[in-house]
Amino acid sequence: MSNKIQVFDTTLRDGEQVPGCQLKTEEKIIVAQELEALGVDVIEAGFPISSPGDFLSVVEISKAVKEPVVCGLTRSKKEDIDVAAEALHHAKRGRIHTGIGSSDVHIKHKFKSDRQQVLEQGVWAVKYAKSKGLEVEFFAEDAGRADLAFLAQMTEAVIAAGADVVNIPDTTGYCLPHLYGKRIQYLFDHVKNIDKAVISVHCHNDLGLATANTLSGVIAGARQVEVTINGIGERAGNTSLEEIAMIFQVHKDLGFETGIKSEKIYPLSKLVSTLMRMPVQANKAIVGSNAFAHSSGIHQDGFLKHAENYEIINPADVGVPSSSIVLTARSGRAALKHRMELLGYKYEGEELNTLYENFLIVADEKKEVVDDDLIVLAVNLPVLHR
Ligand code: KIV
Ligand code: ZN
């Protein structure tokens, strides 16, 4: 089995569903072009039947990108598939992402149906989508809570019907990593024709486990990951592209590869956050403003001696301009001395001690001591070496 992992980005579909994150078609085209430059393999451009705006976006993104597959979401309904196929007309490689619920809770309470009927509907939808001459990905919605034997039956049936990719979503973010991995493993052990399709993982973050579950699914054999920039998506969001890409890069021993050009991650994170008016939490892995910021004295001292003491990723590798040392009341002399040197002031011994005492008084009053505060401290210190 190849170790190349296909990156399926759904920022413009699952991500854009988030209230307040809606983008105009022109903005979506900009994001899609940047996703192409980042090196994603598939762009889920929207849900064409959901609105004229989404339809237009899928049309325009299909024209605007060359390399990635462009994908449109549908329910297992004729009208959805017809509209999606029309929207994908200009795509160099188009894919219909169709599917239906697979868990008993969805079958009973969402579709008011039974297993046999949803199975037949799903198989029908795959065959109909296939007749449009496009790639077809099938999603078994809420697969994280589905009966495993039924999930295997559904997977086998949709592959036999022609699905190129089968998505096993943990729609509600319910699974634990080792159990989600076991689910994927079960499919590899029980679905006879599984080698005829790519298995995809699409995990939600309701318990903060989306990335861990995605990794577990890949280790068990999935070869496509469904992700979003900054982890945006329904409710608590989806697996974040930056986390999964950097896990594979940092842990090369796992042997998985993506085509992601990691140095483009941070600029795209900023672009998506700005266009969607969706701030990134400060402590977000890889792209949060604190991801490469060191604030305690012990860490700052260690970082200044050797960055790898406290950084497992070089910020430049993800396009972050530089690490930062944040000066607070928890900072030590080493960080203060370093920052003063950057500002052109050199302190040692007693002078440094005096400066540090004065610094702590300011730091206790303020959350963060900035360069202007340091200059005021320096000019007020009686004996200075400049
Ligand atoms: O979470 C989910 O199950 C989805 C499907 C539509 C793929 O987003
Ligand atoms: Zn989803």
Side-chain angles (χ1 to χ4, degrees):
M1 191 187 278
S2 154
N3 280 347
K4 169 79 175 36
I5 307 301
Q6 300 287 311
V7 176
F8 175 115
D9 182 276
T10 183
T11 305
L12 296 175
R13 200 279 297 167
D14 217 318
E16 209 247 1
Q17 282 170 210
V18 173
C21 285
Q22 218 175 335
L23 296 179
K24 298 191 196 98
T25 298
E26 312 84 81
E27 295 170 325
K28 287 193 190 176
I29 294 169
I30 294 169
V31 173
Q33 286 171 329
E34 293 306 317
L35 286 168
E36 177 170 30
L38 180 70
V40 307
D41 301 284
V42 186
I43 296 174
E44 189 163 46
F47 183 6
I49 203 167
S50 65
S51 73
D54 232 30
F55 177 86
L56 182 66
S57 298
V58 177
V59 171
E60 295 304 326
I61 290 170
S62 298
K63 293 182 193 163
V65 302
K66 305 263 169 306
E67 288 300 320
V69 174
V70 180
C71 179
L73 185 76
T74 81
R75 294 165 296 183
S76 282
K77 292 189 171 188
K78 182 175 182 303
E79 59 271 30
D80 285 35
I81 296 170
D82 288 339
V83 171
E86 197 187 326
L88 291 166
H89 178 72
H90 295 281
K92 215 168 148 208
R93 266 178 76 188
R95 180 182 297 180
I96 289 182
H97 189 189
T98 191
I100 198 161
S102 63
S103 68
D104 287 335
V105 59
H106 275 216
I107 292 169
K108 224 172 170 174
H109 300 295
K110 184 173 154 183
F111 295 97
K112 316 270 181 230
S113 186
D114 57 39
R115 287 184 185 178
Q116 191 53 35
Q117 275 186 37
V118 295
L119 185 68
E120 283 168 18
Q121 184 73 23
V123 165
W124 174 85
V126 169
K127 286 186 181 157
Y128 187 63
K130 228 22 215 184
S131 75
K132 302 283 181 186
L134 295 161
E135 290 180 20
V136 175
E137 172 168 340
F138 177 82
F139 64 87
E141 196 181 9
D142 201 22
R145 293 188 295 172
D147 174 82
L148 259 178
F150 178 64
L151 185 62
Q153 189 189 353
M154 189 178 234
T155 303
E156 194 164 312
V158 296
I159 295 175
D164 303 287
V165 181
V166 183
N167 176 10
I168 308 297
D170 183 18
T171 304
T172 55
Y174 168 78
C175 292
L176 297 174
H178 64 301
L179 297 178
Y180 186 67
K182 275 192 178 165
R183 243 161 217 270
I184 303 295
Q185 185 61 56
Y186 180 94
L187 297 178
F188 276 93
D189 293 341
H190 292 84
V191 173
K192 282 202 291 289
N193 53 4
I194 199 143
D195 58 316
K196 304 277 185 299
V198 172
I199 296 301
S200 184
V201 285
H202 175 118
C203 298
H204 279 269
N205 206 29
D206 300 65
L207 293 173
L209 293 171
T211 299
N213 284 337
T214 295
L215 178 62
S216 184
V218 168
I219 290 170
R223 287 294 174 269
Q224 179 178 280
V225 292
E226 306 202 358
V227 293
T228 61
I229 299 291
N230 301 334
I232 58 169
E234 280 282 341
R235 307 180 310 279
N238 290 65
T239 303
S240 83
L241 181 149
E242 58 275 11
E243 290 173 16
I244 211 75
M246 292 317 291
I247 286 171
F248 297 148
Q249 194 159 311
V250 170
H251 291 276
K252 292 211 168 53
D253 49 308
L254 288 170
F256 299 120
E257 278 173 20
T258 69
I260 296 298
K261 296 176 188 69
S262 64
E263 67 285 356
K264 294 191 179 291
I265 284 176
Y266 184 66
L268 187 48
S269 158
K270 281 269 185 219
L271 178 74
V272 167
S273 163
T274 306
L275 291 178
M276 291 192 167
R277 291 163 291 277
M278 178 77 160
V280 176
Q281 72 189 59
N283 60 329
K284 168 78 184 63
I286 321 290
V287 293
S289 56
N290 287 350
F292 296 95
H294 305 274
S295 56
S296 85
I298 295 173
H299 285 219
Q300 289 172 337
D301 182 48
F303 170 77
L304 289 171
K305 284 177 176 145
H306 183 61
E308 279 178 34
N309 281 333
Y310 285 99
E311 281 183 354
I312 58 165
I313 296 169
N314 179 343
D317 289 351
V318 291
V320 171
S322 65
S323 308
S324 57
I325 297 273
V326 186
L327 292 179
T328 70
R330 304 291 155 260
S331 299
R333 285 174 182 70
L336 178 62
K337 180 172 184 282
H338 172 77
R339 178 71 71 81
M340 293 309 282
E341 281 173 10
L342 292 179
L343 292 172
Y345 301 92
K346 213 164 167 38
Y347 295 98
E348 301 285 353
E350 268 315 299
E351 274 184 340
L352 179 60
N353 286 341
T354 311
L355 178 78
Y356 185 62
E357 277 162 28
N358 292 351
F359 161 80
L360 286 180
I361 294 166
V362 177
D364 269 337
E365 277 169 26
K366 303 187 70 178
K367 277 194 161 83
E368 187 183 335
V369 180
V370 296
D371 288 352
D372 283 353
D373 301 317
L374 294 175
I375 292 167
V376 171
L377 276 174
V379 296
N380 285 323
L381 207 70
V383 188
L384 292 176
H385 289 268
R386 298 189 192 178

Tab-separated table of all heavy atoms in Angstrom, residues 13-14 73 97 139 141-142 167 169 171 202 204, ligand 1:
chain	number	residue	atom	x	y	z
A	13	ARG	N	-16.217	23.989	2.214
A	13	ARG	CA	-17.532	23.333	2.351
A	13	ARG	C	-17.849	23.132	3.835
A	13	ARG	O	-18.610	23.888	4.411
A	13	ARG	CB	-17.545	22.016	1.567
A	13	ARG	CG	-18.942	21.513	1.252
A	13	ARG	CD	-19.609	20.783	2.399
A	13	ARG	NE	-18.880	19.565	2.758
A	13	ARG	CZ	-19.121	18.887	3.876
A	13	ARG	NH1	-20.052	19.278	4.724
A	13	ARG	NH2	-18.420	17.814	4.159
A	14	ASP	N	-17.203	22.175	4.517
A	14	ASP	CA	-17.504	21.974	5.939
A	14	ASP	C	-17.109	23.231	6.726
A	14	ASP	O	-17.827	23.671	7.634
A	14	ASP	CB	-16.735	20.749	6.469
A	14	ASP	CG	-17.526	19.946	7.486
A	14	ASP	OD1	-18.178	20.579	8.338
A	14	ASP	OD2	-17.502	18.702	7.463
A	73	LEU	N	-20.411	18.473	-2.978
A	73	LEU	CA	-21.166	17.595	-2.068
A	73	LEU	C	-22.602	17.431	-2.560
A	73	LEU	O	-23.200	18.378	-3.090
A	73	LEU	CB	-21.178	18.212	-0.667
A	73	LEU	CG	-21.830	17.349	0.420
A	73	LEU	CD1	-20.887	16.215	0.836
A	73	LEU	CD2	-22.196	18.177	1.645
A	97	HIS	N	-19.284	14.014	-4.294
A	97	HIS	CA	-19.171	13.453	-2.946
A	97	HIS	C	-20.601	13.226	-2.454
A	97	HIS	O	-21.260	14.158	-2.001
A	97	HIS	CB	-18.441	14.463	-2.050
A	97	HIS	CG	-18.052	13.948	-0.700
A	97	HIS	ND1	-17.565	14.786	0.284
A	97	HIS	CD2	-18.053	12.700	-0.175
A	97	HIS	CE1	-17.293	14.071	1.365
A	97	HIS	NE2	-17.588	12.802	1.119
A	139	PHE	N	-19.880	9.040	1.134
A	139	PHE	CA	-19.707	9.203	2.591
A	139	PHE	C	-20.784	8.424	3.323
A	139	PHE	O	-21.972	8.516	3.001
A	139	PHE	CB	-19.688	10.678	3.017
A	139	PHE	CG	-20.962	11.454	2.786
A	139	PHE	CD1	-21.972	11.465	3.749
A	139	PHE	CD2	-21.152	12.196	1.632
A	139	PHE	CE1	-23.145	12.185	3.553
A	139	PHE	CE2	-22.326	12.921	1.424
A	139	PHE	CZ	-23.332	12.911	2.381
A	141	GLU	N	-22.383	8.642	6.346
A	141	GLU	CA	-22.484	9.626	7.416
A	141	GLU	C	-22.656	8.963	8.789
A	141	GLU	O	-23.329	7.945	8.934
A	141	GLU	CB	-23.657	10.587	7.146
A	141	GLU	CG	-23.551	11.835	8.015
A	141	GLU	CD	-24.698	12.816	7.821
A	141	GLU	OE1	-25.688	12.474	7.143
A	141	GLU	OE2	-24.603	13.927	8.371
A	142	ASP	N	-21.989	9.546	9.778
A	142	ASP	CA	-22.021	9.061	11.167
A	142	ASP	C	-21.458	7.632	11.302
A	142	ASP	O	-21.880	6.862	12.156
A	142	ASP	CB	-23.436	9.149	11.761
A	142	ASP	CG	-23.417	9.158	13.299
A	142	ASP	OD1	-22.378	9.511	13.881
A	142	ASP	OD2	-24.449	8.811	13.904
A	167	ASN	N	-15.622	7.446	2.201
A	167	ASN	CA	-15.344	8.298	3.356
A	167	ASN	C	-16.052	7.705	4.581
A	167	ASN	O	-17.257	7.445	4.529
A	167	ASN	CB	-15.862	9.708	3.001
A	167	ASN	CG	-15.754	10.706	4.125
A	167	ASN	OD1	-15.128	10.443	5.145
A	167	ASN	ND2	-16.380	11.858	3.929
A	169	PRO	N	-16.820	8.920	7.908
A	169	PRO	CA	-16.753	10.089	8.795
A	169	PRO	C	-17.123	9.783	10.244
A	169	PRO	O	-18.054	9.012	10.511
A	169	PRO	CB	-17.789	11.059	8.204
A	169	PRO	CG	-18.452	10.375	7.082
A	169	PRO	CD	-18.015	8.952	7.044
A	171	THR	N	-18.760	11.784	12.126
A	171	THR	CA	-19.549	13.012	11.953
A	171	THR	C	-19.774	13.761	13.264
A	171	THR	O	-19.818	14.990	13.293
A	171	THR	CB	-20.914	12.633	11.318
A	171	THR	OG1	-20.653	11.935	10.105
A	171	THR	CG2	-21.788	13.836	11.068
A	202	HIS	N	-12.665	11.442	7.881
A	202	HIS	CA	-13.247	12.790	8.017
A	202	HIS	C	-13.700	12.881	9.472
A	202	HIS	O	-14.725	12.297	9.843
A	202	HIS	CB	-14.415	12.901	7.022
A	202	HIS	CG	-15.202	14.173	7.100
A	202	HIS	ND1	-15.283	15.060	6.037
A	202	HIS	CD2	-15.959	14.707	8.084
A	202	HIS	CE1	-16.068	16.075	6.376
A	202	HIS	NE2	-16.502	15.885	7.613
A	204	HIS	N	-14.577	14.893	13.131
A	204	HIS	CA	-14.973	16.142	13.797
A	204	HIS	C	-14.384	16.188	15.193
A	204	HIS	O	-13.959	15.179	15.761
A	204	HIS	CB	-16.494	16.293	13.760
A	204	HIS	CG	-16.950	16.830	12.430
A	204	HIS	ND1	-17.089	18.178	12.190
A	204	HIS	CD2	-17.228	16.210	11.262
A	204	HIS	CE1	-17.458	18.360	10.928
A	204	HIS	NE2	-17.550	17.170	10.339
B	1	KIV	O1	-19.255	15.164	8.892
B	1	KIV	C1	-19.749	14.576	7.916
B	1	KIV	O2	-20.215	13.442	7.994
B	1	KIV	C2	-19.779	15.315	6.660
B	1	KIV	C3	-20.237	14.553	5.455
B	1	KIV	C4	-21.149	15.357	4.632
B	1	KIV	C5	-19.031	14.061	4.715
B	1	KIV	O3	-19.383	16.437	6.595
